Amino acid sequence: MSGYTENKQEHLRRLRRIEGQARGLQRMVEDDKYCIDILTQVSAATSALQSFALSLLEEHMAHCVAEATQKGGEEAQLKVKEAAEAIARLVRS
């Protein structure tokens, strides 16, 4: 079971909203909207993706990483390393 299973429907709802934002950006470009208005919407979509990513990361750490650390051993080390790498990617983006 994935760490996000309990909130799967909420995650899907958020992703559909983000998808709608991306489609809105396409329409804005197609309609030759003002650059600053498009950039404002890009910022909103970026923020929504970051919020989603942080929520998913939190659930991963609370479920997958916590479970692995309770078991200990090599799997725990791998899960912690994996989470640290995911955090590093989020920080760089």
Side-chain angles (χ1 to χ4, degrees):
M1 177 166 73
S2 298
Y4 60 83
T5 300
E6 289 182 25
N7 297 316
K8 184 176 182 176
Q9 292 308 311
E10 171 64 20
H11 289 315
L12 289 171
R13 185 182 65 76
R14 290 174 79 175
L15 288 169
R16 286 185 196 104
R17 187 178 319 128
I18 293 166
E19 180 182 25
Q21 288 175 306
R23 286 190 189 133
L25 285 165
Q26 290 173 330
R27 280 190 304 275
M28 290 177 82
V29 171
E30 288 169 355
D31 296 343
D32 295 319
K33 297 294 183 185
Y34 185 55
C35 297
I36 297 301
D37 293 339
I38 296 171
L39 289 170
T40 299
Q41 292 307 310
V42 167
S43 178
T46 300
S47 179
L49 276 170
Q50 288 173 338
S51 177
F52 170 75
L54 289 173
S55 175
L56 195 61
L57 178 62
E58 181 180 345
E59 289 175 355
H60 176 69
M61 293 183 72
H63 181 266
C64 302
V65 176
E67 186 177 286
T69 56
Q70 286 176 351
K71 292 178 184 176
E74 187 177 327
E75 182 182 352
Q77 293 173 350
L78 289 173
K79 290 290 183 188
V80 169
K81 183 176 188 269
E82 181 182 66
E85 289 169 353
I87 292 167
R89 284 191 302 273
L90 287 172
V91 169
R92 285 191 300 261
S93 64

